[in-house]
């Protein structure tokens, strides 16, 4: 469509210019008079617009819904998660048809061990996981005490802390698994994106060096896929494993997405956020109320909300006029701020952080209630879509915010009502840690997919490949 549009615009002015030149030479100065030129330019705009819009109506009949979506996107920009991949390397661990093991595969694909490393944001994690899902050893260095005074993650400090801890954490995980060095594992996996580039680099450099030194198969793990695949880790041998295809609701600090997951490396984003993620909304509410944030404000807001009444403060559920699968949390954030500032004024205190404990608890509870209502509305719509169109009735609830007990309970209720099966990792495995990298690498190796450890890239943005 755009090529046709440009053609109509380019051809027309050329012929117009030619006409002006001929007329000019014939009747002298009249045509080059500024007013006449303005009239011609105006005519040109109208004609090219008409040509372009004719092409539009012939080639693409847009539904009113699609028009509304386009108008909204023009105003607010594309949802973060609906990233078409034009600005970053696309995650495509396969050539479209088959998988490739660039750095080889473990000799015995039935029973192998993987060392996983994670450093995409503010926690340095490592773990050794066996291919049957047994976690043999884990180690995690939290940075929340480093970031707490700043009210959020400071990338430079996070990088320095990763550098200071990475060797110790890897060694600790290996020793917890009864191993002495990376020579004892069968493969190595590490998060290579998306995340904070300078932080990703610390883990990736360590993992690549180990893979090269010990000649081990290597997997560059996609962080969001790793979160999602945590719902497939066999937590106990008695329960059945989550099978593809399934719907995933990924709610973390960096992302808020609904995805249709059909296989390893095969995740289609159905909806994403236009602004903040759910985790960010929790973090900003914590900051507004003067609660300690550190590595994330979610747990403190959840704790405080337990003491509050969610019905005391009326807040609007976001995006009520848009019946689709996208999210938006910046409006709710501003709504909470306005209410909190009004209450601070009424109570004669300077800022919302100075409000009494019980008022803050009511704000936290009301925020959490509405934030989850937004999730429920979007999720219910995705469930209806997938059960009708694809007969999918399995949901994975993953990402850091999936550790939230209220969210877990409410999504459980929704699944029960719609007869869906639900998989949620245990809370401590919802947030970032090394096991997710190790398990994602196990899953990639099972489909014969590994990467070249000599390529040093990491990807701050790393969108899933869209279906061809
Ligand atoms: O997955 P994650 O560890 O890191 C990213 O990949 O972003 O998620 C971190 C986010 C933070 O925003 C944190 O506040 C939120 O998850 N979070 C929670 C809870 N635990 C962590 N949010 C609400 N309730 C919780 N219990
Ligand atoms: Zn994460």
């Amino acid at each position: 469509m755009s090529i046709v549009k440009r053609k109509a615009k380019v051809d027309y002015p050329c012929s117009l210019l030619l006409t002006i030149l001929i007329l000019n030479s014939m009747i002298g100065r009249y045509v080059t008079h500024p007013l006449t030129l303005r009239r011609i330019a105006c005519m040109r705009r109208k004609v090219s617009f008409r040509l372009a819009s004719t092409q539009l109506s012939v080639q693409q009949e847009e539904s009113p819904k699609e028009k509304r979506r386009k108008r909204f996107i023009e105003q607010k920009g594309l949802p973060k998660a609906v990233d078409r991949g034009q600005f970053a390397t696309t995650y495509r661990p396969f050539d479209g048809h088959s998988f490739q093991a660039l750095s080889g595969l473990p000799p015995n694909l039935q029973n192998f061990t993987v060392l996983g490393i994670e450093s995409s944001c503010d926690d340095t994690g490592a773990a050794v996981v066996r291919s049957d899902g047994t976690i043999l050893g884990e180690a995690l260095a939290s940075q929340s005490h480093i970031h707490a005074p700043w009210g959020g993650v400071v990338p430079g400090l996070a990088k320095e802390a990763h550098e200071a801890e990475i060797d110790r954490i890897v060694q600790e995980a290996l020793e917890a698994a009864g191993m002495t060095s990376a020579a004892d594992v069968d493969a190595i996996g590490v998060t290579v994106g998306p995340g904070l580039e300078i932080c990703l680099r610390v883990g990736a450099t360590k993992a690549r060096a180990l893979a090269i030194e010990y000649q081990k198969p290597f997997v560059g793990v996609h962080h969001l896929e790793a979160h999602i695949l945590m719902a497939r880790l066999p937590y106990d041998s008695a329960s059945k494993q989550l099978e593809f295809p399934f719907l995933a609701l990924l709610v973390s600090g960096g992302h808020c997405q609904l995805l249709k997951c059909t296989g390893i490396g095969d995740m289609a984003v159905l909806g994403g956020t236009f602004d903040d993620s759910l985790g960010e909304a929790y973090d900003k509410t914590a900051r507004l109320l003067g609660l300690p944030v550190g590595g994330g404000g979610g747990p403190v807001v959840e704790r405080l909300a337990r003491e509050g009444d969610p019905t005391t403060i009326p807040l609007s559920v976001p995006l009520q006029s848009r019946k689709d699968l996208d999210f938006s949390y910046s409006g709710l954030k501003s709504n909470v701020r306005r209410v909190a500032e009004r209450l601070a004024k009424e109570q004669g205190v300077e800022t919302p952080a100075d409000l009494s404990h019980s008022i803050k608890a009511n704000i936290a509870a009301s925020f959490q209630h509405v934030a989850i209502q937004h999730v429920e509305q979007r999720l219910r719509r995705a469930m209806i879509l997938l059960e009708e169109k694809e007969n999918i009735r399995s949901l994975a609830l993953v990402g850091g915010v999936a550790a939230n007990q209220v969210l877990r309970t409410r999504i459980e209720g929704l699944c029960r009502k719609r007869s869906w099966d639900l998989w949620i990792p245990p809370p401590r495995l919802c947030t970032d840690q090394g096991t997710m990298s190790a398990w994602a690498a196990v899953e990639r190796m099972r489909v014969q997919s590994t990467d070249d450890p000599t390529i040093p890239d990491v990807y701050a943005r790393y969108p899933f490949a869209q279906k061809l």
Side-chain angles (χ1 to χ4, degrees), residues 223 227 252-254 279-280 282-283 296-299 302 399-401 403-404 430-432:
H223 185 67
H227 270 304
S252 67
E280 260 175 301
Y282 268 96
D283 299 345
E302 181 183 11
V401 190
N404 184 291
C430 288
T431 45
D432 296 350

Side-chain angles (χ1 to χ4, degrees), residues 274-291:
F274 283 106
D275 34 64
D276 295 347
S277 68
L278 180 54
E280 260 175 301
Y282 268 96
D283 299 345
K284 286 176 179 174
T285 303
R287 226 170 286 145
L288 175 75
L289 299 179
L291 309 174

Side-chain angles (χ1 to χ4, degrees), residues 391-405:
N391 201 22
I392 292 176
R393 283 183 172 274
S394 302
L395 174 70
L397 173 59
V398 294
V401 190
N404 184 291
Q405 205 47 58

Side-chain angles (χ1 to χ4, degrees), residues 343-410:
L343 287 170
K345 216 173 188 180
E346 282 170 16
Q347 299 293 313
V349 294
E350 209 169 309
T351 69
D354 305 318
L355 284 164
S356 69
H357 184 81
S358 64
I359 295 180
K360 283 202 229 178
N362 286 342
I363 295 174
S366 306
F367 155 76
Q368 177 164 267
H369 177 66
V370 171
I372 296 178
Q373 253 181 309
H374 184 34
V375 172
E376 286 171 326
Q377 285 185 354
R378 284 10 225 184
L379 176 60
R380 189 178 299 113
R381 196 165 296 132
M383 289 167 110
I384 293 170
L385 185 85
L386 290 193
E387 59 192 42
E388 281 175 0
K389 283 197 169 168
E390 322 242 357
N391 201 22
I392 292 176
R393 283 183 172 274
S394 302
L395 174 70
L397 173 59
V398 294
V401 190
N404 184 291
Q405 205 47 58
V406 182
L407 180 70
R408 293 166 85 97
T409 309
R410 279 172 57 173

Side-chain angles (χ1 to χ4, degrees), residues 433-463:
Q433 23 65 37
T435 294
M436 61 195 281
S437 302
W439 177 247
V442 168
E443 292 259 40
R444 284 272 304 276
M445 276 179 282
R446 284 250 179 74
V447 294
Q448 324 261 308
S449 171
T450 60
D451 299 307
D452 180 352
T454 62
I455 298 172
D457 296 350
V458 293
Y459 314 104
R461 299 184 67 200
Y462 203 17

Side-chain angles (χ1 to χ4, degrees), residues 256-307:
C256 189
Q257 298 181 331
L258 279 161
L259 305 106
K260 187 177 84 176
C261 310
T262 28
I264 305 301
D266 202 0
M267 316 269 167
V269 179
L270 306 176
T273 177
F274 283 106
D275 34 64
D276 295 347
S277 68
L278 180 54
E280 260 175 301
Y282 268 96
D283 299 345
K284 286 176 179 174
T285 303
R287 226 170 286 145
L288 175 75
L289 299 179
L291 309 174
V293 176
V300 270
V301 172
E302 181 183 11
R303 261 197 306 279
L304 184 61
R306 269 185 226 136
E307 300 169 51

Side-chain angles (χ1 to χ4, degrees), residues 46 99 150 152 189 211 228 273 313 331 345 358 404 419 434 442:
K46 272 189 193 155
F99 291 91
W150 304 93
I228 293 168
T273 177
I313 293 164
K345 216 173 188 180
S358 64
N404 184 291
S419 306
V442 168

